[in-house]
Amino acid sequence: MDFNQRKRELVKEFSPMLEKSSLVSKLWYFVLIAIISVGIYAFYLQFINGHKVTGMRDNVVWGIYIINFIFFVGISYSGAFITGVLHFFNGSWKYSIARIIKIITVLSLIVGPIFILLCIGRLDRLHYLFIYPRIQSPITWDIIAIMTDLIGCFIYLYLTFIPDFAILRDTTDLKVPNWQKNVYRVLAIGYQDTTSQRKRLHKITEIMSVMIIAMAVVAYTVLAWIFSLTLQPGWNSTIFAPYFIIAGLYSGVGVIIITMYLIRTSFKLEKYIRKIHFIGAGIVLLIISLLFGYFTFSEYFSKWFSHKTNDVELLETLFSHYFWEFIFANYIGVLVPIIILFFKKLRTIKSVTFAAVIAVLGLWLNRYLIVIPTLETPYIPIQDTRPEFIFYTASWIEYALSFAGIAAFILMFKLIMKFVPIIPISGIIDQERFEEKRIKNLGEQNK
Amino acid sequence: MKKVLFKYPLITSFIIAFLLSNVCIAQENDVSNYRMGFNLTTVKQPDNSRLLEVSFIATNKKDRKDKIPISNAEIKFFNILNEEEVLLGAVNTSNEGIAQLTLPENQNYLIDDDGTINLTALFEGSNAIDEETAEISIKDLHIELNLTEIDSVKTVSVSAFTINKLGEKIPAEEIEISFYIQAMLSKMKIEEGTINDGSYEFTFPSDIPGDINGNLLVYAMVVDHDEYWNVTQNKNIKWGIFHSHSIKEKNSLWSAIAPLWMYSVLTIMLVGVWANYVYTIINLVKIKKEGDELKLKI
């Protein structure tokens, strides 16, 4: 097979995604930029007036910003974990989703930490974290872990992009601006797809994929420890680290399924993102939802059974003030995906995506119920203070910034898709090369 | 009116209950149930002024824990000699039932031949409380506190005396005296003894910490003496030893320096990860180099 010809064919197939922007796409850009602009204005108000414009007060010092942070970082770590694991599988199917997951991983890790910055009342003192770090503090570990992980994920994403950059650089009939071609040339770092270059790139990518699996587990464990190493009711739990990892995987797989569905329908990629991907991801989601349900039950059951005063108070708050949220997060958010994904007949592309949406929403609420009710039921009783100081309600500023974060995530995703094909051309070529070699070997054996 | 009262039995019973309760409280607080405590005491202060203090507190006859300070009662202080009576001042009692009058060092007292000063505190009485009076007789004791280093030994000495009509110093005898150091919250006793022949002397302990500059406030006090009542004298001296707590901090979870294993684990992990990043970048440079060489060949 002439692989150079095949490369040109594939570039031609994916070039519309890189060359043109449809009217719908342009409308999407406008809406996303508008949402981000509102978010920037909300941030300006928060920066000028301080945290009084948010719902955060003396007792509930963390709000939906920290929940978004945990949520996005969880998606990122699960993405890193899944993409690392995928690297060790063979088969053409993995190339269709691998890049989507890698992009989700990196973008979540860019957007997530922005939310933690929004939690900080005195941003002007941010550099103190680096000047006076306290190595015993899980917050210091988290900063180190996130920064290291972000760089690692960037490198890993870049490694997988290099062969595609080289293909795009070498394709003369690609109608993209000259600056874009120059960027392809620089980022391709002289990659010519020689055997030695391919081997070298494969070797470092493999090492990086192992490393980011380990880093994802370590970093999300550290994030869980920010909560569980305190003595707060509801947080001081020995299973919090594995619980967070399972929860991160749960939301991560959910977001991957939703993204797969949106890309498949938007770009008519049914040939590459097939039903088998949804069935496979659905089964993974089913296994994780069972594990997540088990961990959730174990967590709350031990709290209820031990009957410690503060834990009981927390559970009473969850079953009274947050009744419906609790039901949605821990019953509907777990049981509905299990029911849909358990029965073979129900496993269609749309139903799997619906289960993923329920799982993601439930998981976000689960994070909310971990953070807010605990802060509302501290050890020392709250006395002589106003109700708005005890109970947390997010303000429009917080919602605006949260939606701005989601919009920024989608916008960056769309921009990356405009820059490189969402289905890796090099992956398809590699797979076809592998198949050709296999057939050749079989032929030689038969002789 | 009667009809109205019978029509609303609940309200009527409330009114009756309210009236009865007021009567009960009034009976409980009746002044006849209390015994009046009216005590006069005096302290000769370090600046040689004299403080006269009356405590005026009523104690329940049945329950001694039930004490009510008599506040805002006018107390008159007199210096009496035979028929002669000099009003020293009048002071109202505080909310705690305390009335204090400070007489300056140069106050002229009526003194009898024995050198005794008779002081009286008088409450003239009110509609509810009877007249109260308290008397004390004191002799004016002078205490001189000296803090000196004798042959590098820190020595505390006091001389105690009275002055007779001729202005002669008469050394005091058999007076119990205590020495204290002013600590953060109260006074700490460092020595006690008896003044004989008008003097007392002891070696100051060498291990008492002072403030950051080594300053100490040393007190010499005669307390509740039959003749002299309370006499206090003090002096500041730089005899304290400032202990700087230079304890070497151990590596622990709660100290400024973390446990060693924490540094080791974190360093190994970070070095491992970053070494891999460096290794990846080196390989990327090699890929680039190979690509450049290939380009030149073409």
Side-chain angles (χ1 to χ4, degrees):
Chain A
M1 188 189 279
D2 182 359
F3 287 109
N4 286 332
Q5 177 60 30
R6 180 72 182 128
K7 281 176 192 173
R8 277 193 291 277
E9 281 170 19
L10 286 168
V11 172
K12 201 176 175 186
E13 188 181 344
F14 291 112
S15 61
M17 286 169 70
L18 308 175
E19 291 170 348
K20 292 174 197 166
S21 287
S22 64
L23 188 68
V24 178
S25 190
K26 281 175 184 165
L27 199 69
W28 262 105
Y29 286 127
F30 176 76
V31 172
L32 292 171
I33 290 167
I35 295 169
I36 294 167
S37 304
V38 174
I40 291 167
Y41 175 65
F43 176 70
Y44 165 76
L45 290 178
Q46 183 180 310
F47 190 76
I48 296 297
N49 301 310
H51 273 189
K52 70 175 182 181
V53 297
T54 69
M56 293 183 281
R57 292 292 182 268
D58 289 15
N59 298 300
V60 184
V61 292
W62 278 346
I64 59 171
Y65 293 152
I66 194 93
I67 296 152
N68 292 334
F69 166 68
I70 302 166
F71 185 74
F72 273 105
V73 172
I75 291 168
S76 170
Y77 293 150
S78 71
F81 188 84
I82 294 162
T83 198
V85 171
L86 273 182
H87 189 82
F88 296 98
F89 280 95
N90 278 324
S92 58
W93 60 272
K94 74 168 183 183
Y95 294 108
S96 309
I97 54 167
R99 182 157 288 168
I100 295 171
I101 303 171
K102 281 170 200 158
I103 297 170
I104 289 173
T105 302
V106 173
L107 293 185
S108 313
L109 210 52
I110 293 170
V111 174
I114 293 170
F115 283 106
I116 201 79
L117 297 179
L118 298 175
C119 287
I120 299 170
R122 293 291 303 266
L123 269 175
D124 55 310
R125 293 181 183 172
L126 184 66
H127 59 287
Y128 285 10
L129 278 168
F130 303 95
I131 299 171
Y132 313 110
R134 195 176 146 76
I135 211 74
Q136 298 99 314
S137 165
I139 290 174
T140 307
W141 308 342
D142 206 33
I143 290 165
I144 296 169
I146 285 174
M147 280 170 37
T148 310
D149 199 36
L150 183 63
I151 292 164
C153 287
F154 258 123
I155 294 172
Y156 186 60
L157 185 70
Y158 174 61
L159 291 180
T160 59
F161 275 10
I162 290 171
D164 276 17
F165 285 143
I167 293 167
L168 295 168
R169 174 200 62 196
D170 298 338
T171 312
T172 47
D173 49 353
L174 187 68
K175 288 167 192 144
V176 291
N178 279 337
W179 67 264
Q180 197 168 332
K181 281 184 179 171
N182 284 333
V183 174
Y184 289 147
R185 189 178 50 78
V186 172
L187 293 177
I189 54 160
Y191 187 79
Q192 300 292 340
D193 202 21
T194 62
T195 315
S196 64
Q197 277 183 326
R198 207 182 304 138
K199 269 186 182 173
R200 201 182 285 279
L201 189 64
H202 184 75
K203 185 177 72 181
I204 54 176
T205 311
E206 203 156 68
I207 296 169
M208 277 302 292
S209 61
V210 175
M211 185 136 284
I212 63 163
I213 295 172
M215 280 196 318
V217 173
V218 170
Y220 214 48
T221 299
V222 167
L223 182 62
W225 283 347
I226 287 182
F227 294 91
S228 69
L229 296 187
T230 69
L231 294 174
Q232 293 269 34
W235 291 355
N236 186 226
S237 162
T238 52
I239 64 161
F240 240 44
Y243 185 34
F244 260 54
I245 288 169
I246 294 295
L249 282 171
Y250 193 44
S251 60
V253 173
V255 169
I256 288 164
I257 292 171
I258 296 165
T259 315
M260 270 169 26
Y261 180 80
L262 291 174
I263 290 170
R264 179 188 145 100
T265 47
S266 306
F267 297 101
K268 308 272 182 270
L269 289 173
E270 289 84 356
K271 186 181 159 190
Y272 294 99
I273 305 172
R274 289 173 288 156
K275 192 180 176 185
I276 191 172
H277 291 110
F278 286 89
I279 302 293
I283 289 166
V284 173
L285 190 70
L286 171 67
I287 295 163
I288 299 169
S289 63
L290 287 166
L291 279 169
F292 177 70
Y294 167 68
F295 270 89
T296 306
F297 173 77
S298 175
E299 179 69 10
Y300 285 114
F301 180 74
S302 59
K303 276 186 181 52
W304 172 77
F305 200 85
S306 65
H307 231 73
K308 283 189 277 185
T309 315
N310 291 86
D311 283 347
V312 170
E313 272 176 32
L314 177 67
L315 287 175
E316 278 171 8
T317 310
L318 287 172
F319 277 101
S320 54
H321 195 73
Y322 292 101
F323 181 77
W324 288 112
E325 291 91 332
F326 189 82
I327 295 296
F328 189 89
N330 299 317
Y331 287 84
I332 297 170
V334 178
L335 293 176
V336 170
I338 288 174
I339 292 164
I340 292 172
L341 301 168
F342 188 78
F343 297 103
K344 209 174 176 181
K345 279 186 181 174
L346 292 175
R347 283 184 216 142
T348 62
I349 292 174
K350 281 186 179 168
S351 64
V352 169
T353 310
F354 176 73
V357 171
I358 297 292
V360 169
L361 291 176
L363 205 277
W364 191 90
L365 264 180
N366 175 280
R367 312 282 89 178
Y368 188 94
L369 295 178
I370 285 175
V371 176
I372 307 299
T374 289
L375 291 171
E376 287 177 351
T377 49
Y379 280 119
I380 300 169
I382 305 166
Q383 289 178 333
D384 303 329
T385 185
R386 284 169 279 173
E388 65 265 30
F389 276 44
I390 302 169
F391 298 109
Y392 170 79
T393 312
S395 67
W396 77 266
I397 300 268
E398 287 165 284
Y399 282 119
L401 279 162
S402 300
F403 284 113
I406 296 165
F409 178 88
I410 299 168
L411 182 66
M412 284 192 279
F413 204 107
K414 281 186 77 65
L415 290 173
I416 290 173
M417 284 200 303
K418 202 76 192 94
F419 197 69
V420 279
I422 196 68
I423 309 294
I425 297 170
S426 57
I428 298 167
I429 297 288
D430 274 354
Q431 187 58 34
E432 285 174 358
R433 196 180 275 139
F434 175 77
E435 286 296 321
E436 194 187 62
K437 203 176 171 184
R438 198 172 61 90
I439 292 163
K440 205 176 167 184
N441 286 343
L442 275 172
E444 278 173 9
Q445 276 175 13
N446 288 337
K447 277 178 191 174
Chain B
M1 180 67 189
K2 265 185 183 177
K3 275 183 183 175
V4 172
L5 285 175
F6 285 116
K7 198 175 175 182
Y8 302 106
L10 192 68
I11 296 170
T12 311
S13 57
F14 265 118
I15 293 168
I16 292 165
F18 178 73
L19 289 172
L20 279 174
S21 67
N22 271 356
V23 170
C24 292
I25 290 163
Q27 275 181 345
E28 269 182 21
N29 288 340
D30 195 308
V31 75
S32 62
N33 294 326
Y34 286 82
R35 186 178 294 113
M36 291 299 153
F38 191 83
N39 298 307
L40 172 64
T41 185
T42 180
V43 181
K44 190 172 182 187
Q45 301 182 120
D47 61 352
N48 287 326
S49 64
R50 183 172 291 282
L51 178 79
L52 301 179
E53 184 179 294
V54 161
S55 105
F56 196 6
I57 293 167
T59 308
N60 195 314
K61 287 174 184 171
K62 290 176 185 169
D63 179 10
R64 289 201 299 178
K65 286 180 185 170
D66 176 19
K67 290 182 177 179
I68 299 173
I70 310 298
S71 61
N72 212 27
E74 191 189 50
I75 310 295
K76 288 179 176 172
F77 295 91
F78 295 96
N79 178 199
I80 298 168
L81 180 64
N82 301 328
E83 299 301 314
E84 204 177 338
E85 193 176 88
V86 174
L87 177 66
L88 298 170
V91 183
N92 282 8
T93 53
S94 65
N95 288 338
E96 289 76 37
I98 304 291
Q100 288 182 328
L101 178 72
T102 303
L103 302 170
E105 185 185 1
N106 57 3
Q107 174 76 37
N108 286 321
Y109 296 100
L110 299 171
I111 306 172
D112 67 11
D113 297 339
D114 202 21
T116 305
I117 304 166
N118 296 309
L119 298 167
T120 301
L122 172 71
F123 170 65
E124 288 177 333
S126 66
N127 293 337
I129 304 170
D130 293 338
E131 182 187 295
E132 295 287 346
T133 178
E135 291 173 19
I136 56 169
S137 298
I138 57 163
K139 282 185 177 174
D140 192 19
L141 179 73
H142 298 264
I143 290 181
E144 284 178 1
L145 177 64
N146 298 305
L147 308 170
T148 47
E149 283 194 37
I150 303 166
D151 297 332
S152 299
V153 178
K154 291 165 185 168
T155 309
V156 180
S157 61
V158 288
S159 60
F161 54 88
T162 53
I163 297 172
N164 66 13
K165 276 194 168 178
L166 300 169
E168 295 165 339
K169 289 182 179 177
I170 313 293
E173 290 288 347
E174 294 289 327
I175 299 172
E176 297 290 327
I177 189 162
S178 302
F179 296 86
Y180 298 85
I181 295 296
Q182 181 63 55
M184 185 184 281
L185 300 173
S186 61
K187 295 181 181 73
M188 182 181 80
K189 191 182 273 186
I190 53 166
E191 175 78 7
E192 57 185 349
T194 307
I195 296 172
N196 282 317
D197 202 20
S199 68
Y200 185 82
E201 189 178 287
F202 71 97
T203 305
F204 190 81
S206 58
D207 57 349
I208 294 189
D211 64 8
I212 196 160
N213 298 315
N215 289 318
L216 286 168
L217 190 59
V218 182
Y219 280 90
M221 293 172 79
V222 173
V223 181
D224 287 340
H225 193 270
D226 293 341
E227 286 184 327
Y228 308 115
W229 290 76
N230 303 298
V231 185
T232 302
Q233 192 53 264
N234 66 20
K235 229 169 207 179
N236 208 328
I237 187 88
K238 209 169 183 171
W239 278 357
I241 297 153
F242 178 68
H243 287 289
S244 58
H245 294 277
S246 56
I247 301 160
K248 200 188 170 196
E249 206 171 35
K250 285 180 184 171
N251 288 65
S252 69
L253 204 54
W254 311 116
S255 65
I257 42 174
L260 287 173
W261 65 261
M262 202 173 266
Y263 287 113
S264 318
V265 170
L266 212 68
T267 308
I268 290 165
M269 282 173 76
L270 284 174
V271 167
V273 173
W274 282 90
N276 182 54
Y277 293 171
V278 172
Y279 175 73
T280 306
I281 290 161
I282 290 168
N283 274 283
L284 287 174
V285 171
K286 282 180 181 172
I287 289 171
K288 186 175 165 38
K289 212 173 166 185
E290 197 184 326
D292 291 345
E293 282 168 5
L294 215 67
K295 209 174 172 183
L296 281 172
K297 278 179 192 171
I298 293 163

